[in-house]
C-alpha cells in the first residue's frame, strides 16, 4: 500500500487530533495514523480538561478554530472557574469530562472533517531523504504492517508510546498505556539522523469502583452551572452534571505506603528518568514532606454511565497490594474495590531546543513534533502544540488555503500573544529537564493572556490562516462591536453624585463628592456592572441589548474597563521586548569565538542558535551584559 498526502500525523492523542483537524481544515490532504481508532484522544490520566493556565490554552486553541473546547463542552459532567478569588488574569476554566463520550465526540469531529483520512496502524520508521550533507528532508512513513505513505510534512505526536515501559512495584511491562503496546523502533529511526532523545517518567492513580465507596465520609464538591463555557462557540452542556468528592490520607495510610518504598521503582533504582515536579506520586509526597500527616485527595467520576472513579492525588507505582492496603485505611475507602492499580511509565522524548518556533525540526526539514515527544505533560499543552504544528505543516506543504499575507508563511505566537507562545518559546529556548507543565507564573504578560480575551487575541489571525471559519469570525466581529459600544458608553456617561450616592452607600462604596464618568465607578474593586445596573438604567438597557452570549460580552467589557491601566502598562512592556524580537541574530555570530560574552553564554548560544536577540535573552545562563555586548557588536 502506497499513498500520497500533504500532511501525515502520527498518533491520535490530543496533539495528533488537533494537528490533523487543523491541517485538514486549512485545505491540506491529511492522514492521521493511530494504533487504535477506538481510543482517539484518550484521557490517559485524569478525565478533565483545563485548570490553572491550562484552561487558557484550551480557550486559545478554540479561538484559533481548534476542537478541544467544543469537545469538552459537549462531554463535560462538571465545570468550575478556578481562582475566582484572584484577578481575572488568574481565572482558569476546568471541566470534568465523560471519558468515553469524549473519545466518541472526537471521533465524530474527525469523521466529519473534510480532507482527513484515518489509518489504524503503528508507524515504525520515518522515510528521510538526504539532499546534501547538511540537509535532510522527511518524505513519508512506514508502518509495522508494511504500509507506506508519502507526504512532504509529517507531524509526530506519539505521546508516551516511544519505547514506553510501565512499572508497578518491581514488575515492568512494555507499553504506551495500560494494555496497549509500545512503539519500539520509531525513536531509533529518528535519532539516527542526529536528533537527540532522552527519557521521562509520568504516572497515574488507581481507578476505583463507585459502589464500594462510603460517600458519607467524604465532602461533596459541586460544580458551577453559569454561562461560562470552554468554547466561544459552545452551547449549553448537554450531560448531567455530577459532583466530585474530597477526602484525606492519614498516618496509617502513610505507614503502609512507606512499608513498600523498598519496592518502589522510584526509589530502588528501577526508574532513572525524571518525573513531573508539580504532579508528584503519593510516595514522592511522603519522602518530600515527611512531617505532613495528611494529603488531600479528590475522587472524580469518569462518566455518567460508569462506576469507575479516578482518585486524584494518589498517583503511584508502588506494588499493587501496598496501594490497595493503604487505601483501606481511608475511612471512606475502607471497603474499596479497585479496577486497576496506579502505575508509572517511562518513555522517550526529543530535545525541543532542536525545533524552530513553528515546531519544525532544525535537523529534518518537514518533520514537526508536538506533545509529550517534546517533553511536555498535559492534554492542553499537547493540544496547543498540535494546533501550531498542524497549521505550520499545512503551510509548509503549500496546500493551505490561507488568505491575505498569511499565505506561504510560517505561523508563530509571541509570549505576549498566547500561553501557547510562552509554552513553545520555553521549550525551544530553554529546553526541558523534567516534564513541562504550564502555569500562569511562566507568563510575564499574563494580564494580556486572560481566559476571557483569547478570541480577541487570536480569532482574526486564525481567520487569515483559513482555520477559523466564517461563522466563528462573524460572531467575534459582533462580540467585538458590543464590547466597544459598552466601553464607549462607560467612558462618556456622566455620573451625578446626587443620583448615585444612595446606591453607592448601600453597596458599601465611598460616595462621590464630584461628578465622574461611569468608567471611574466600574474601576472600583467593589463595584461591577451587575451591582450598578439598577442605579444606572441606561447601562442595564445597553447590557441587555446583545441577544447572544450577553453575560460573556458583559464580563469581557467589564474586565477591560476595570483593568485598563494595567493592560496598557503591560502592553508597553511587551512592545519594548518586541524591539529585541525584531533583531535577528541567527548566523551573525560565531559564538565559540565570541570572547566578549561569558563562557556559559557561548556554550548555550552555540547549542540553541536563537533566532532573535529577545530569544537569546531568555536562555538560562545568558546575562543582560551578554546581550548588551552583542548589541554593541551589531552596532546597535
Amino acid at each position: 500500500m502506497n499513498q500520497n498526502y500533504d500532511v501525515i500525523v502520527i498518533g491520535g492523542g490530543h496533539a495528533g487530533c488537533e494537528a490533523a483537524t487543523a491541517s485538514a481544515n486549512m485545505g491540506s490532504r491529511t492522514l492521521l495514523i493511530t494504533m487504535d481508532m477506538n481510543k482517539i484522544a484518550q484521557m490517559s490520566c485524569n478525565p478533565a480538561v483545563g485548570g490553572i493556565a491550562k484552561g487558557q490554552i484550551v480557550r486559545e486553541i478554540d479561538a484559533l478554530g481548534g476542537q478541544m473546547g467544543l469537545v469538552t463542552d459537549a462531554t463535560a459532567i462538571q465545570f468550575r472557574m478556578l481562582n475566582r478569588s484572584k484577578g481575572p488574569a488568574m481565572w482558569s476554566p476546568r471541566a470534568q469530562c465523560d471519558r468515553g463520550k469524549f473519545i466518541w465526540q472526537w471521533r465524530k469531529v474527525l469523521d466529519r472533517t473534510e480532507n482527513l483520512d484515518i489509518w489504524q496502524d503503528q508507524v515504525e520508521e520515518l522515510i528521510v531523504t538526504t539532499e546534501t550533507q547538511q540537509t535532510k528532508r522527511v518524505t513519508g512513513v512506514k508502518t509495522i504492517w508494511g504500509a507506506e505513505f508519502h507526504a512532504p510534512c509529517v507531524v509526530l505526536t506519539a505521546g508516551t508510546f516511544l519505547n514506553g515501559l510501565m512499572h508497578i512495584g518491581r514488575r515492568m511491562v512494555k507499553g504506551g498505556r495500560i494494555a496497549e503496546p509500545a512503539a519500539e523502533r520509531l525513536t531509533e529511526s529518528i535519532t539516527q539522523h542526529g536528533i537527540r532523545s532522552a527519557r521521562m517518567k509520568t504516572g497515574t492513580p488507581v481507578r476505583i469502583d463507585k459502589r464500594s465507596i462510603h460517600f458519607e465520609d467524604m465532602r461533596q464538591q459541586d460544580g458551577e452551572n453559569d454561562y461560562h463555557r470552554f468554547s466561544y462557540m459552545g452551547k449549553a452542556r448537554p450531560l448531567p452534571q455530577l459532583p466530585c468528592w474530597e477526602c484525606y490520607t492519614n498516618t496509617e495510610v502513610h505507614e503502609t505506603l512507606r512499608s513498600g518504598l523498598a519496592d518502589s521503582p522510584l526509589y530502588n533504582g528501577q526508574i532513572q528518568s525524571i518525573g513531573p515536579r508539580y504532579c508528584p506520586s503519593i510516595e514522592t509526597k511522603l519522602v518530600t514532606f515527611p512531617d505532613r500527616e495528611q494529603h488531600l485527595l479528590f475522587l472524580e467520576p469518569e462518566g455518567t454511565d460508569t462506576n469507575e472513579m479516578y482518585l486524584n492525588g494518589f498517583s503511584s507505582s508502588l506494588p499493587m497490594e501496598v496501594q490497595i492496603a493503604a487505601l483501606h485505611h481511608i475511612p471512606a475507602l475502607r471497603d474499596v474495590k479497585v479496577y486497576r492499580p496506579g502505575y508509572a511509565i517511562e518513555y522517550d522524548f526529543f530535545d525541543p531546543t532542536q525545533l524552530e518556533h513553528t515546531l519544525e525540526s532544525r535537523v529534518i526539514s518537514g518533520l514537526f513534533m508536538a506533545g509529550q515527544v517534546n517533553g511536555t505533560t498535559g492534554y492542553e499543552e499537547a493540544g496547543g502544540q498540535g494546533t501550531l504544528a498542524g497549521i505550520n505543516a499545512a503551510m509548509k506543504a503549500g496546500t493551505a488555503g490561507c488568505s491575505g499575507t498569511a499565505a506561504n508563511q510560517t505561523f508563530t505566537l509571541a509570549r505576549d500573544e498566547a500561553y501557547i507562545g510562552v509554552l513553545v518559546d520555553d521549550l525551544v529556548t530553554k529546553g526541558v529537564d523534567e516534564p513541562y507543565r504550564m502555569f500562569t507564573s511562566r507568563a510575564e504578560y499574563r494580564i494580556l493572556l486572560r481566559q476571557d480575551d483569547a478570541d480577541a487575541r487570536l480569532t482574526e489571525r486564525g481567520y487569515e490562516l483559513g482555520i477559523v471559519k466564517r461563522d466563528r469570525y462573524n460572531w467575534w466581529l459582533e462580540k467585538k462591536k458590543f464590547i466597544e459600544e459598552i466601553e464607549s458608553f462607560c467612558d462618556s456617561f456622566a455620573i451625578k453624585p446626587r443620583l448615585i450616592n444612595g446606591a453607592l452607600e448601600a453597596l458599601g462604596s465611598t460616595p462621590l463628592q464630584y461628578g465622574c464618568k461611569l468608567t471611574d465607578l466600574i474601576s472600583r474593586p467593589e463595584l461591577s456592572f451587575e451591582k450598578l445596573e439598577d442605579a444606572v438604567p441606561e447601562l442595564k438597557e445597553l447590557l441587555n441589548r446583545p441577544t447572544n452570549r450577553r453575560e460573556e460580552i458583559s464580563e469581557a467589557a467589564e474586565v477591560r474597563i476595570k483593568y485598563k491601566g494595567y493592560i496598557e502598562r503591560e502592553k508597553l512592556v511587551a512592545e519594548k521586548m518586541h524591539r529585541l524580537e525584531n533583531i535577528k541574530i541567527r548566523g551573525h555570530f560565531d559564538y565559540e569565538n565570541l570572547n566578549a560574552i561569558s563562557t556559559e553564554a557561548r556554550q548555550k548560544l552555540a547549542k540553541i542558535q536563537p533566532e532573535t536577540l529577545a530569544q537569546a535573552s531568555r536562555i538560562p545562563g545568558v546575562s543582560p551584559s551578554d546581550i548588551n555586548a552583542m548589541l554593541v557588536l551589531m552596532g546597535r
Side-chain angles (χ1 to χ4, degrees):
M1 183 164 181
N2 191 324
Q3 292 187 25
N4 295 321
Y5 288 89
D6 300 317
V7 175
I8 296 171
V9 178
I10 303 172
H14 303 273
C17 287
E18 293 292 355
T21 51
S23 169
N25 283 328
M26 291 179 67
S28 294
R29 292 176 298 114
T30 304
L31 175 67
L32 173 63
I33 304 177
T34 179
M35 287 185 184
D36 190 344
M37 291 172 61
N38 296 321
K39 292 186 177 177
I40 290 285
Q42 168 74 293
M43 304 172 96
S44 308
C45 200
N46 188 0
V49 170
I52 307 302
K54 292 168 172 279
Q56 282 88 326
I57 291 177
V58 179
R59 298 216 91 189
E60 291 171 356
I61 294 170
D62 182 73
L64 282 169
Q67 305 300 315
M68 185 178 282
L70 287 164
V71 173
T72 300
D73 285 339
T75 60
I77 54 178
Q78 187 189 95
F79 182 93
R80 296 176 65 211
M81 183 68 74
L82 306 183
N83 275 349
R84 282 185 184 271
S85 62
K86 301 179 181 180
M90 306 295 285
W91 297 349
S92 301
R94 181 188 186 273
Q96 196 76 17
C97 295
D98 185 304
R99 184 192 300 275
K101 292 182 175 64
F102 190 90
I103 291 172
W104 289 103
Q105 185 66 26
W106 253 115
R107 271 293 302 274
K108 186 186 297 184
V109 170
L110 295 173
D111 289 340
R112 294 178 180 179
T113 300
E114 293 184 14
N115 306 311
L116 177 59
D117 292 342
I118 303 176
W119 177 258
Q120 183 168 299
D121 204 340
Q122 181 180 326
V123 173
E124 68 172 357
E125 183 182 349
L126 292 185
I127 304 172
V128 177
T129 300
T130 301
E131 296 180 328
T132 67
Q133 192 171 5
Q134 289 81 28
T135 307
K136 295 182 178 182
R137 178 171 59 88
V138 70
T139 58
V141 301
K142 295 179 181 179
T143 77
I144 60 173
W145 290 108
E148 194 170 303
F149 300 97
H150 295 272
C153 292
V154 172
V155 184
L156 176 65
T157 69
T160 60
F161 283 79
L162 296 176
N163 290 317
L165 182 63
M166 297 177 290
H167 302 260
I168 299 178
R170 294 186 180 274
R171 293 184 177 271
M172 295 177 283
V173 176
K174 292 180 180 180
R177 268 193 304 250
I178 199 76
E180 296 181 60
E184 297 190 54
R185 293 182 289 276
L186 185 53
T187 296
E188 290 70 23
S189 85
I190 295 170
T191 55
Q192 68 176 326
H193 298 290
I195 295 177
R196 298 184 295 271
S197 71
R199 298 282 280 174
M200 278 189 177
K201 168 261 172 187
T202 189
T204 190
V206 61
R207 302 306 200 274
I208 288 173
D209 188 333
K210 178 174 65 176
R211 296 167 295 185
S212 64
I213 299 168
H214 292 273
F215 288 102
E216 69 274 11
D217 292 323
M218 307 184 87
R219 186 172 72 180
Q220 183 169 321
Q221 183 189 68
D222 293 314
E224 301 168 0
N225 198 24
D226 64 6
Y227 61 89
H228 286 105
R229 305 283 183 271
F230 261 108
S231 175
Y232 291 100
M233 303 294 285
K235 300 178 175 61
R237 289 181 279 274
L239 298 182
Q241 300 299 288
L242 304 178
C244 294
W245 306 83
E246 296 178 9
C247 64
Y248 289 87
T249 61
N250 53 49
T251 54
E252 289 82 5
V253 175
H254 297 178
E255 289 173 8
T256 303
L257 292 171
R258 287 193 184 98
S259 72
L261 286 179
D263 294 316
S264 167
L266 297 177
Y267 295 103
N268 65 9
Q270 194 169 304
I271 291 178
Q272 299 292 327
S273 51
I274 300 174
R277 178 197 309 259
Y278 300 104
C279 189
S281 65
I282 188 67
E283 53 265 41
T284 300
K285 293 177 186 177
L286 298 185
V287 173
T288 307
F289 308 104
D291 298 330
R292 292 281 297 273
E293 295 186 354
Q294 62 180 20
H295 291 281
L296 178 63
L297 305 177
F298 294 93
L299 193 63
E300 301 169 333
E302 296 262 350
T304 60
D305 305 317
T306 178
N307 290 318
E308 188 174 354
M309 300 196 80
Y310 176 95
L311 190 59
N312 197 337
F314 204 84
S315 176
S316 179
S317 57
L318 286 165
M320 64 177 73
E321 60 272 14
V322 175
Q323 295 184 41
I324 296 171
L327 291 175
H328 283 148
H329 289 295
I330 299 173
L333 305 179
R334 58 187 178 271
D335 298 316
V336 72
K337 293 181 180 179
V338 169
Y339 285 113
R340 67 175 182 273
Y343 65 93
I345 182 168
E346 290 184 285
Y347 55 93
D348 295 336
F349 77 99
F350 302 101
D351 182 358
T353 62
Q354 293 185 288
L355 299 174
E356 303 286 359
H357 279 76
T358 59
L359 296 181
E360 183 181 11
S361 170
R362 294 181 181 178
V363 180
I364 302 175
S365 176
L367 174 62
F368 295 80
M369 296 185 177
Q372 287 183 274
V373 295
N374 289 338
T376 65
T377 181
Y379 315 138
E380 304 82 5
E381 290 88 344
Q385 292 172 73
T387 301
L388 190 70
I391 290 171
N392 280 296
M395 296 174 83
K396 187 176 182 70
T399 51
C402 306
S403 62
T405 59
N408 303 317
Q409 296 184 9
T410 59
F411 177 72
T412 59
L413 292 166
R415 295 181 71 91
D416 63 332
E417 202 172 9
Y419 271 96
I420 298 172
V422 175
L423 164 65
V424 171
D425 186 63
D426 281 351
L427 294 176
V428 173
T429 301
K430 302 174 183 178
V432 291
D433 55 10
E434 62 183 52
Y436 181 101
R437 179 180 178 181
M438 179 53 72
F439 293 100
T440 52
S441 59
R442 295 191 189 272
E444 60 270 47
Y445 307 115
R446 52 185 173 272
I447 294 177
L448 303 180
L449 306 182
R450 307 181 308 277
Q451 61 85 29
D452 66 89
D453 75 336
D455 53 351
R457 291 182 272 122
L458 300 174
T459 294
E460 293 192 28
R461 290 202 65 186
Y463 183 68
E464 290 178 354
L465 290 169
I467 188 172
V468 167
K469 304 309 176 187
R470 188 75 210 187
D471 59 339
R472 178 183 290 270
Y473 182 61
N474 286 343
W475 160 235
W476 159 241
L477 292 178
E478 181 183 343
K479 178 180 174 181
K480 180 181 179 182
K481 181 188 69 146
F482 281 126
I483 291 173
E484 290 173 348
E485 285 181 4
I486 294 170
E487 287 183 293
S488 177
F489 172 82
C490 293
D491 281 339
S492 61
F493 190 82
I495 297 291
K496 297 179 180 178
R498 63 182 178 82
L499 298 178
I500 197 72
N501 279 347
L504 293 179
E505 289 177 352
L507 293 169
S509 190
T510 305
L512 298 175
Q513 289 185 322
Y514 308 100
C516 69
K517 301 298 183 185
L518 181 55
T519 292
D520 300 319
L521 288 183
I522 298 298
S523 298
R524 293 185 179 186
E526 71 276 11
L527 298 181
S528 64
F529 282 162
E530 183 180 5
K531 291 180 178 179
L532 290 173
E533 279 183 347
D534 291 334
V536 185
E538 296 88 345
L539 174 63
K540 187 172 187 177
E541 180 185 350
L542 180 63
L543 295 178
N544 284 325
R545 190 175 301 169
T547 57
N548 184 26
R549 309 295 283 272
R550 182 179 67 83
E551 298 95 338
E552 179 185 299
I553 291 169
S554 296
E555 178 185 84
E558 184 174 323
V559 169
R560 284 171 56 158
I561 293 169
K562 195 176 284 289
Y563 294 89
K564 182 178 180 180
Y566 298 100
I567 292 170
E568 290 180 348
R569 186 191 312 167
E570 201 153 271
K571 282 181 178 178
L572 289 175
V573 175
E575 287 169 4
K576 290 180 181 179
M577 181 55 70
H578 278 305
R579 297 172 194 166
L580 294 183
E581 296 284 6
N582 292 330
I583 302 176
K584 307 292 184 182
I585 61 171
R586 185 181 295 177
H588 285 264
F589 293 108
D590 177 7
Y591 294 114
E592 293 178 356
N593 296 311
L594 194 61
N595 294 324
I597 62 177
S598 68
T599 301
E600 182 180 6
R602 289 202 298 272
Q603 294 171 346
K604 295 287 183 67
L605 291 166
K607 176 184 176 183
I608 296 173
Q609 291 292 326
E611 183 71 29
T612 68
L613 203 58
Q615 185 189 349
S617 72
R618 294 189 290 269
I619 297 173
V622 178
S623 68
S625 62
D626 295 323
I627 298 300
N628 286 336
M630 294 167 71
L631 273 170
V632 170
L633 290 170
M634 294 187 74
R636 303 297 289 264

